[in-house]
Coordinates of all heavy atoms in Angstrom, one line a residue:
M11 N 71.0 111.4 101.0 CA 72.2 111.1 101.8 C 73.0 112.4 101.9 O 73.2 113.2 100.8 CB 73.0 110.1 101.1 CG 74.3 109.8 101.8 SD 75.4 108.6 101.1 CE 74.7 107.1 101.6
T12 N 73.3 112.9 103.0 CA 74.2 114.0 103.3 C 75.7 113.6 103.4 O 75.9 112.4 103.4 CB 73.9 114.7 104.6 OG1 74.2 113.9 105.7 CG2 72.3 115.0 104.7
S13 N 76.5 114.6 103.3 CA 77.9 114.4 103.4 C 78.3 113.7 104.7 O 79.4 113.1 104.8 CB 78.7 115.7 103.2 OG 78.4 116.6 104.2
C14 N 77.5 113.9 105.7 CA 77.9 113.3 107.0 C 77.4 111.8 107.2 O 77.9 111.2 108.1 CB 77.2 114.1 108.2 SG 77.8 115.7 108.1
D15 N 76.7 111.3 106.2 CA 76.1 110.0 106.3 C 77.2 108.9 105.9 O 77.1 107.8 106.3 CB 74.8 109.8 105.4 CG 73.7 110.6 105.9 OD1 73.7 110.8 107.2 OD2 72.9 110.9 105.1
G16 N 78.2 109.4 105.2 CA 79.2 108.4 104.7 C 78.7 107.6 103.5 O 77.7 108.0 102.9
D17 N 79.4 106.5 103.1 CA 79.0 105.7 102.1 C 79.3 104.3 102.6 O 80.0 104.1 103.6 CB 79.6 106.0 100.8 CG 81.1 106.0 100.9 OD1 81.6 104.8 101.0 OD2 81.8 107.0 100.7
R18 N 78.8 103.4 101.8 CA 78.9 102.0 102.2 C 80.3 101.4 102.1 O 80.6 100.3 102.5 CB 77.9 101.1 101.6 CG 78.0 101.1 100.1 CD 76.8 100.2 99.5 NE 77.0 100.0 98.1 CZ 76.8 99.0 97.5 NH1 76.1 98.0 98.1 NH2 77.0 98.8 96.2
F19 N 81.1 102.1 101.5 CA 82.6 101.7 101.1 C 83.6 102.5 102.0 O 84.8 102.1 101.7 CB 82.9 101.7 99.6 CG 82.0 100.9 98.8 CD1 81.2 101.6 97.9 CD2 81.9 99.5 99.0 CE1 80.3 100.8 97.1 CE2 81.0 98.8 98.2 CZ 80.3 99.3 97.2
S20 N 83.2 103.2 102.8 CA 84.2 104.0 103.7 C 84.1 103.7 105.1 O 83.0 103.3 105.7 CB 84.1 105.5 103.5 OG 84.3 105.9 102.2
V21 N 85.2 103.7 105.8 CA 85.3 103.7 107.3 C 86.0 104.8 107.7 O 87.0 105.4 107.1 CB 85.9 102.4 107.7 CG1 87.2 102.1 107.4 CG2 85.7 102.2 109.3
Y22 N 85.7 105.4 108.9 CA 86.2 106.6 109.4 C 86.9 106.2 110.7 O 86.3 105.5 111.6 CB 85.3 107.7 109.7 CG 84.6 108.2 108.4 CD1 83.5 107.5 107.9 CD2 85.1 109.2 107.6 CE1 82.9 107.8 106.7 CE2 84.5 109.5 106.4 CZ 83.3 108.9 106.0 OH 82.8 109.3 104.8
L23 N 88.3 106.5 110.9 CA 89.1 106.2 112.0 C 89.3 107.5 112.8 O 89.8 108.4 112.2 CB 90.4 105.4 111.6 CG 90.1 104.2 110.7 CD1 91.5 103.7 110.2 CD2 89.4 103.1 111.4
V24 N 89.3 107.5 114.1 CA 89.5 108.6 114.9 C 90.7 108.2 115.8 O 90.8 107.2 116.4 CB 88.2 108.9 115.8 CG1 88.6 110.1 116.7 CG2 87.1 109.2 115.0
F25 N 91.6 109.2 115.8 CA 92.9 109.0 116.6 C 93.0 110.2 117.5 O 92.7 111.3 117.1 CB 94.1 108.8 115.6 CG 94.1 107.6 114.9 CD1 93.5 107.6 113.6 CD2 94.7 106.6 115.4 CE1 93.6 106.5 112.8 CE2 94.8 105.3 114.7 CZ 94.2 105.2 113.4
A26 N 93.6 110.0 118.6 CA 94.0 111.1 119.6 C 95.3 111.5 119.3 O 96.2 110.7 119.0 CB 93.7 110.7 121.0
E27 N 95.6 112.8 119.6 CA 97.0 113.4 119.6 C 97.1 114.0 120.9 O 96.3 114.5 121.5 CB 97.1 114.4 118.5 CG 97.0 113.8 117.1 CD 97.9 112.7 116.8 OE1 99.1 112.9 117.2 OE2 97.6 111.9 116.0
P28 N 98.5 114.0 121.3 CA 99.6 113.5 120.7 C 99.7 112.0 120.8 O 99.0 111.4 121.7 CB 100.8 114.2 121.4 CG 100.2 114.5 122.8 CD 98.8 114.7 122.7
G29 N 100.4 111.4 119.9 CA 100.7 110.0 120.1 C 99.9 109.1 119.0 O 100.2 107.9 118.9
G30 N 98.9 109.6 118.4 CA 98.2 108.8 117.4 C 97.5 107.6 118.0 O 97.4 106.5 117.4
I31 N 96.9 107.8 119.2 CA 96.2 106.6 119.9 C 94.9 106.4 119.3 O 94.0 107.3 119.2 CB 96.1 106.9 121.4 CG1 97.5 107.0 122.0 CG2 95.4 105.9 122.1 CD1 97.5 107.6 123.3
F32 N 94.5 105.2 118.9 CA 93.3 104.8 118.2 C 92.1 105.0 119.2 O 92.2 104.6 120.3 CB 93.3 103.5 117.7 CG 92.0 103.1 117.1 CD1 91.6 103.5 115.9 CD2 91.2 102.2 117.8 CE1 90.4 103.1 115.3 CE2 89.9 101.8 117.3 CZ 89.6 102.2 116.0
I33 N 91.1 105.8 118.9 CA 89.9 106.1 119.7 C 88.8 105.1 119.3 O 88.2 104.4 120.1 CB 89.5 107.4 119.6 CG1 90.5 108.4 120.3 CG2 88.2 107.6 120.5 CD1 90.2 109.8 120.2
Q34 N 88.4 105.2 117.9 CA 87.2 104.6 117.5 C 87.1 104.5 116.0 O 87.6 105.3 115.3 CB 85.9 105.4 118.0 CG 84.6 104.7 117.6 CD 83.5 105.5 118.2 OE1 83.6 106.1 119.4 NE2 82.3 105.5 117.6
A35 N 86.5 103.4 115.5 CA 86.2 103.4 114.0 C 84.6 103.7 113.9 O 83.8 103.3 114.8 CB 86.4 101.9 113.5
A36 N 84.2 104.3 112.8 CA 82.8 104.7 112.6 C 82.5 104.4 111.1 O 83.4 104.6 110.3 CB 82.5 106.1 113.0
S37 N 81.3 104.2 110.9 CA 80.8 103.9 109.5 C 80.3 105.2 108.9 O 80.0 105.2 107.7 CB 79.7 102.9 109.5 OG 78.6 103.3 110.3
S38 N 80.3 106.3 109.6 CA 79.9 107.6 109.0 C 80.8 108.7 109.5 O 81.3 108.5 110.7 CB 78.3 107.8 109.4 OG 78.3 108.1 110.7
L39 N 80.8 109.7 108.9 CA 81.5 110.9 109.3 C 80.9 111.5 110.5 O 81.5 112.0 111.5 CB 81.7 111.9 108.3 CG 82.6 113.2 108.5 CD1 83.9 112.7 108.9 CD2 82.5 114.0 107.3
A40 N 79.5 111.4 110.7 CA 78.8 111.9 111.9 C 79.3 111.2 113.1 O 79.5 111.7 114.2 CB 77.4 111.8 111.7
G41 N 79.5 109.9 113.0 CA 79.9 109.0 114.0 C 81.3 109.3 114.5 O 81.6 109.4 115.7
A42 N 82.1 109.6 113.5 CA 83.6 109.9 113.7 C 83.6 111.2 114.5 O 84.4 111.4 115.4 CB 84.4 109.9 112.5
G43 N 82.8 112.2 114.0 CA 82.8 113.5 114.6 C 82.4 113.4 116.0 O 82.9 114.2 116.9
A44 N 81.4 112.7 116.3 CA 80.8 112.6 117.7 C 81.9 111.9 118.6 O 82.0 112.4 119.8 CB 79.6 111.7 117.7
A45 N 82.6 111.0 118.1 CA 83.7 110.3 118.8 C 84.8 111.4 119.2 O 85.4 111.4 120.3 CB 84.3 109.2 118.2
L46 N 85.2 112.2 118.2 CA 86.2 113.1 118.4 C 85.7 114.2 119.4 O 86.6 114.7 120.4 CB 86.6 113.8 117.1 CG 87.9 114.7 117.2 CD1 89.1 113.9 117.6 CD2 88.1 115.4 115.8
I47 N 84.5 114.7 119.3 CA 84.0 115.7 120.2 C 84.0 115.2 121.7 O 84.3 115.8 122.6 CB 82.6 116.2 119.7 CG1 82.8 117.0 118.6 CG2 81.9 117.0 120.9 CD1 81.4 117.3 117.8
A48 N 83.5 113.8 121.8 CA 83.5 113.3 123.1 C 84.9 113.2 123.8 O 85.1 113.4 124.9 CB 82.8 111.9 123.1
H49 N 85.9 112.8 122.9 CA 87.2 112.7 123.3 C 87.8 114.1 123.8 O 88.3 114.2 124.8 CB 88.2 112.2 122.2 CG 89.6 112.3 122.5 ND1 90.3 111.6 123.4 CD2 90.5 113.1 121.9 CE1 91.6 112.0 123.4 NE2 91.7 112.9 122.5
A50 N 87.5 115.2 123.0 CA 88.0 116.5 123.3 C 87.2 117.0 124.8 O 88.0 117.6 125.5 CB 87.5 117.5 122.2
A51 N 86.0 116.7 124.8 CA 85.4 117.0 126.1 C 85.9 116.3 127.2 O 86.1 116.9 128.3 CB 83.8 116.8 126.0
Q52 N 86.2 115.1 127.2 CA 86.7 114.2 128.3 C 88.1 114.5 128.6 O 88.5 114.7 129.7 CB 86.6 112.8 128.0 CG 87.0 111.8 129.1 CD 86.8 110.4 128.8 OE1 86.7 110.0 127.7 NE2 86.9 109.6 129.8
M53 N 88.9 114.6 127.5 CA 90.4 114.8 127.8 C 90.9 116.1 127.9 O 91.9 116.5 128.6 CB 91.3 114.0 126.8 CG 91.0 112.6 126.6 SD 91.3 111.6 128.2 CE 93.0 111.8 128.3
F54 N 90.3 117.1 127.2 CA 90.7 118.5 127.2 C 89.8 119.5 127.7 O 89.9 120.6 127.7 CB 91.1 118.9 125.7 CG 92.2 118.0 125.2 CD1 91.9 116.9 124.4 CD2 93.5 118.4 125.4 CE1 92.9 116.2 123.9 CE2 94.5 117.7 124.8 CZ 94.2 116.5 124.1
Q55 N 88.5 119.1 128.2 CA 87.5 119.9 128.7 C 87.1 121.0 127.8 O 86.8 122.1 128.2 CB 87.8 120.5 130.2 CG 88.0 119.5 131.2 CD 89.1 118.6 131.2 OE1 90.2 119.1 131.0 NE2 89.0 117.3 131.3
T56 N 87.0 120.7 126.5 CA 86.6 121.6 125.5 C 85.8 120.9 124.4 O 86.1 119.7 124.1 CB 87.8 122.5 124.9 OG1 87.2 123.4 124.0 CG2 88.7 121.5 124.2
T57 N 84.8 121.6 123.9 CA 84.2 121.2 122.6 C 84.4 122.2 121.5 O 83.8 122.1 120.4 CB 82.6 120.8 122.9 OG1 82.0 122.1 123.3 CG2 82.6 119.6 123.8
E58 N 85.2 123.2 121.8 CA 85.6 124.2 120.7 C 86.7 123.7 120.0 O 87.8 123.9 120.4 CB 85.8 125.5 121.6 CG 84.5 126.1 122.3 CD 84.8 127.4 122.8 OE1 85.5 128.3 122.3 OE2 84.4 127.7 124.0
L59 N 86.3 123.3 118.8 CA 87.5 122.7 118.0 C 87.5 123.5 116.6 O 86.6 124.2 116.1 CB 87.0 121.3 117.6 CG 86.7 120.4 118.8 CD1 86.3 119.0 118.3 CD2 88.0 120.4 119.7
L60 N 88.7 123.4 116.1 CA 89.1 124.0 114.8 C 89.6 123.0 113.8 O 90.1 122.1 114.2 CB 90.1 125.1 115.0 CG 89.7 126.3 115.9 CD1 91.0 127.1 116.1 CD2 88.5 127.2 115.4
M61 N 89.4 123.4 112.6 CA 90.1 122.6 111.5 C 91.6 123.1 111.4 O 91.9 124.0 112.1 CB 89.4 122.8 110.1 CG 87.9 122.5 110.1 SD 87.5 120.8 110.4 CE 88.4 120.0 109.1
S62 N 92.5 122.3 110.8 CA 93.8 122.6 110.7 C 94.1 124.0 110.1 O 95.1 124.6 110.3 CB 94.6 121.5 110.0 OG 94.1 121.3 108.7
D63 N 93.1 124.4 109.3 CA 93.3 125.8 108.6 C 92.8 126.9 109.4 O 92.8 128.0 109.0 CB 92.7 125.7 107.1 CG 91.2 125.6 107.2 OD1 90.6 125.5 108.3 OD2 90.6 125.6 106.2
G64 N 92.3 126.6 110.6 CA 91.7 127.6 111.5 C 90.2 127.8 111.4 O 89.7 128.6 112.2
S65 N 89.6 127.2 110.5 CA 88.1 127.4 110.3 C 87.5 126.6 111.4 O 88.0 125.6 112.0 CB 87.7 126.9 108.9 OG 88.0 125.5 108.6
P66 N 86.2 126.9 111.7 CA 85.4 126.2 112.8 C 85.3 124.6 112.4 O 85.1 124.3 111.2 CB 84.2 126.9 112.9 CG 84.3 128.2 112.3 CD 85.5 128.0 111.2
F67 N 85.3 123.8 113.4 CA 85.0 122.4 113.1 C 83.5 122.1 112.8 O 82.7 122.4 113.6 CB 85.4 121.6 114.4 CG 85.1 120.1 114.4 CD1 85.9 119.3 113.6 CD2 84.0 119.6 115.0 CE1 85.6 117.9 113.4 CE2 83.7 118.3 114.9 CZ 84.5 117.4 114.1
E68 N 83.2 121.8 111.5 CA 82.0 121.5 111.1 C 82.1 120.2 110.2 O 83.0 120.1 109.4 CB 81.4 122.6 110.3 CG 81.2 123.9 111.1 CD 80.6 125.0 110.4 OE1 80.5 124.9 109.2 OE2 80.2 126.0 110.9
L69 N 81.1 119.3 110.3 CA 81.3 118.0 109.6 C 81.2 118.3 108.0 O 81.9 117.6 107.2 CB 80.2 117.1 109.9 CG 80.3 116.5 111.4 CD1 79.2 115.6 111.7 CD2 81.6 115.8 111.5
D70 N 80.6 119.3 107.5 CA 80.5 119.5 106.1 C 81.9 120.0 105.7 O 82.4 119.7 104.6 CB 79.5 120.7 105.8 CG 78.1 120.0 105.8 OD1 78.0 118.8 105.6 OD2 77.1 120.9 105.9
T71 N 82.6 120.8 106.5 CA 84.0 121.2 106.3 C 84.9 120.0 106.2 O 85.8 119.9 105.4 CB 84.4 122.3 107.3 OG1 83.5 123.4 107.3 CG2 85.8 122.8 107.0
V72 N 84.7 119.1 107.2 CA 85.6 117.9 107.3 C 85.4 117.1 106.0 O 86.3 116.7 105.4 CB 85.3 117.1 108.5 CG1 86.0 115.8 108.5 CG2 85.6 117.8 109.8
A73 N 84.2 117.0 105.6 CA 83.7 116.1 104.5 C 84.5 116.8 103.2 O 85.0 116.0 102.3 CB 82.2 116.1 104.2
A74 N 84.4 118.2 103.1 CA 85.1 118.8 101.9 C 86.6 118.7 101.9 O 87.2 118.6 100.8 CB 84.7 120.3 101.9
M75 N 87.2 118.7 103.1 CA 88.7 118.6 103.2 C 89.1 117.2 103.2 O 90.5 116.9 103.0 CB 89.1 119.2 104.5 CG 88.8 120.7 104.5 SD 89.4 121.5 106.1 CE 91.0 121.4 106.0
L76 N 88.3 116.1 103.5 CA 88.9 114.8 103.6 C 88.9 114.0 102.4 O 87.9 113.8 101.7 CB 87.9 114.1 104.6 CG 88.4 112.7 105.3 CD1 89.7 112.8 105.9 CD2 87.2 112.2 106.1
P77 N 90.1 113.7 101.9 CA 90.1 113.0 100.7 C 89.7 111.5 100.8 O 89.6 111.1 102.0 CB 91.8 113.0 100.4 CG 92.5 113.3 101.7 CD 91.4 114.0 102.6
M78 N 89.6 110.7 99.8 CA 89.1 109.3 99.9 C 90.0 108.5 100.8 O 89.4 107.8 101.6 CB 89.1 108.7 98.5 CG 88.4 107.3 98.5 SD 86.8 107.3 99.0 CE 86.0 108.1 97.6
D79 N 91.3 108.5 100.7 CA 92.1 107.7 101.7 C 93.0 108.8 102.2 O 94.2 109.0 101.8 CB 92.9 106.7 101.0 CG 92.1 105.4 100.7 OD1 91.5 105.0 101.7 OD2 92.1 104.9 99.6
G80 N 92.5 109.5 103.3 CA 93.4 110.5 103.9 C 93.0 110.9 105.3 O 92.2 110.2 105.9
C81 N 93.5 112.0 105.7 CA 93.3 112.5 107.0 C 93.2 113.9 107.2 O 93.7 114.8 106.4 CB 94.6 112.0 107.7 SG 94.9 112.6 109.5
V82 N 92.4 114.4 108.1 CA 92.3 115.8 108.6 C 92.7 115.8 110.1 O 92.2 115.0 110.9 CB 90.9 116.4 108.2 CG1 90.7 116.5 106.8 CG2 89.8 115.8 109.0
W83 N 93.3 117.0 110.4 CA 93.7 117.2 111.8 C 92.7 118.1 112.4 O 92.3 119.1 111.8 CB 95.1 117.8 112.0 CG 96.1 116.8 111.4 CD1 96.7 116.7 110.2 CD2 96.7 115.8 112.2 NE1 97.6 115.7 110.1 CE2 97.7 115.1 111.3 CE3 96.6 115.4 113.5 CZ2 98.4 114.1 111.8 CZ3 97.4 114.4 114.0 CH2 98.3 113.7 113.1
I84 N 92.4 118.0 113.7 CA 91.4 118.8 114.4 C 92.2 119.4 115.7 O 92.9 118.7 116.3 CB 90.3 118.0 114.9 CG1 89.6 117.1 113.8 CG2 89.2 118.9 115.6 CD1 89.1 117.9 112.6
L85 N 92.1 120.7 115.8 CA 92.7 121.5 116.8 C 91.8 122.0 117.9 O 90.7 122.1 117.7 CB 93.5 122.7 116.2 CG 94.3 122.5 114.9 CD1 94.7 123.8 114.3 CD2 95.4 121.6 115.1
S86 N 92.4 122.2 119.1 CA 91.7 122.8 120.2 C 91.6 124.3 120.0 O 92.7 124.9 119.5 CB 92.4 122.5 121.5 OG 91.9 123.4 122.5
A87 N 90.5 125.0 120.0 CA 90.3 126.4 119.8 C 91.2 127.3 120.8 O 91.7 128.2 120.4 CB 88.9 126.8 119.7
S88 N 91.3 126.7 122.0 CA 92.0 127.4 123.0 C 93.5 127.3 123.0 O 94.2 128.3 123.4 CB 91.5 126.9 124.4 OG 91.9 125.5 124.5
S89 N 94.1 126.4 122.3 CA 95.4 126.2 122.4 C 96.1 126.1 120.9 O 97.3 126.1 120.7 CB 96.0 125.0 123.1 OG 95.6 123.9 122.5
D90 N 95.3 125.9 119.9 CA 95.7 125.7 118.6 C 96.7 124.5 118.4 O 97.4 124.4 117.5 CB 96.4 126.9 117.9 CG 95.3 128.0 117.6 OD1 94.2 127.7 117.4 OD2 95.8 129.3 117.5
K91 N 96.5 123.5 119.3 CA 97.2 122.3 119.3 C 96.4 121.1 118.8 O 95.3 121.1 119.2 CB 97.9 122.0 120.7 CG 98.9 122.9 121.1 CD 99.6 122.6 122.4 CE 100.7 123.6 122.6 NZ 101.4 123.2 123.8
P92 N 97.0 120.1 117.9 CA 96.2 119.1 117.5 C 95.7 118.2 118.7 O 96.4 118.0 119.6 CB 97.2 118.2 116.7 CG 98.3 119.2 116.5 CD 98.4 120.1 117.6
I93 N 94.4 117.9 118.7 CA 93.8 117.0 119.7 C 93.4 115.7 119.1 O 93.2 114.7 119.8 CB 92.6 117.6 120.5 CG1 91.5 117.9 119.5 CG2 93.1 118.8 121.3 CD1 90.1 118.0 120.1
G94 N 93.4 115.6 117.8 CA 92.9 114.4 117.2 C 92.9 114.5 115.6 O 93.2 115.6 115.1
S95 N 92.6 113.4 115.0 CA 92.5 113.4 113.6 C 91.4 112.4 113.1 O 91.0 111.4 113.9 CB 93.8 112.9 112.9 OG 94.1 111.6 113.3
I96 N 90.8 112.6 112.0 CA 89.8 111.8 111.4 C 90.4 111.3 110.1 O 90.9 112.1 109.3 CB 88.5 112.4 111.2 CG1 87.8 112.8 112.5 CG2 87.5 111.5 110.5 CD1 86.6 113.8 112.4
E97 N 90.5 109.9 109.9 CA 90.9 109.3 108.7 C 89.9 108.6 108.1 O 89.1 108.0 108.6 CB 92.2 108.4 108.9 CG 93.4 109.0 109.6 CD 94.5 108.1 109.7 OE1 94.5 107.0 109.1 OE2 95.4 108.4 110.5
R98 N 89.9 108.7 106.7 CA 88.9 108.0 105.9 C 89.6 107.0 105.2 O 90.7 107.2 104.4 CB 88.2 108.9 105.0 CG 87.1 108.3 104.1 CD 86.4 109.4 103.2 NE 85.4 108.7 102.4 CZ 84.8 109.2 101.4 NH1 85.1 110.5 101.0 NH2 83.9 108.6 100.7
R99 N 89.1 105.8 105.2 CA 89.7 104.6 104.4 C 88.6 104.0 103.6 O 87.5 103.7 104.0 CB 90.3 103.5 105.4 CG 91.4 104.0 106.2 CD 92.6 104.2 105.4 NE 93.7 104.7 106.1 CZ 94.2 106.0 105.8 NH1 93.8 106.7 104.8 NH2 95.1 106.5 106.5
F100 N 88.9 103.9 102.2 CA 88.0 103.4 101.2 C 88.2 101.8 101.2 O 89.3 101.4 101.0 CB 88.3 104.0 99.9 CG 87.3 103.6 98.9 CD1 86.0 104.1 98.9 CD2 87.6 102.7 97.9 CE1 85.1 103.5 97.9 CE2 86.8 102.3 96.9 CZ 85.5 102.7 97.0
L101 N 87.2 101.2 101.4 CA 87.1 99.7 101.5 C 86.6 99.2 100.1 O 85.4 99.2 99.9 CB 86.4 99.1 102.6 CG 86.8 99.7 103.9 CD1 85.8 99.2 104.9 CD2 88.2 99.2 104.3
A102 N 87.4 98.7 99.3 CA 86.9 98.3 97.9 C 86.0 97.0 98.1 O 86.3 96.2 98.9 CB 88.1 98.0 97.1
P103 N 84.9 96.9 97.3 CA 84.0 95.8 97.5 C 84.7 94.6 96.9 O 85.6 94.6 96.2 CB 82.9 96.2 96.6 CG 83.3 97.2 95.7 CD 84.5 97.9 96.4

């Protein structure tokens, strides 16, 4: 299992910014990342994304920065403005 596969007790929620509009729920970080990239391509005509600290958007980086019940912000590389977020929620068995 890689860091992008998720685990059976987590769900990943993708929100659009501004406004925190719900986009999609995913059972893996890879699915959440794909939803965010598709949103950025459709709404902002870009797939060049950055993490909130300015590093390139990579799923391994998201996995390292994402707490068990928390959120990471994703920015547009061209404007440095938030375009969305990925939240991880732990679902206790």
Side-chain angles (χ1 to χ4, degrees):
M11 178 182 279
T12 70
S13 61
C14 299
D15 292 332
D17 60 66
R18 62 186 190 142
F19 298 117
S20 292
V21 65
Y22 299 87
L23 308 174
V24 180
F25 292 91
E27 294 301 326
I31 300 166
F32 177 73
I33 297 176
Q34 181 174 328
S37 60
S38 70
L39 186 53
L46 189 62
I47 291 169
H49 167 71
Q52 181 180 19
M53 300 302 293
F54 298 95
Q55 290 74 47
T56 186
T57 57
E58 295 181 40
L59 306 176
L60 300 173
M61 303 298 297
S62 58
D63 66 357
S65 62
F67 174 76
E68 295 177 353
L69 291 180
D70 287 335
T71 305
V72 174
M75 294 178 70
L76 192 59
M78 186 60 70
D79 279 314
C81 172
V82 294
W83 295 93
I84 310 301
L85 312 174
S86 168
S88 60
S89 69
D90 287 337
K91 293 186 179 184
I93 62 156
S95 64
I96 298 175
E97 296 186 14
R98 180 179 180 190
R99 295 290 173 241
F100 184 72
L101 308 173

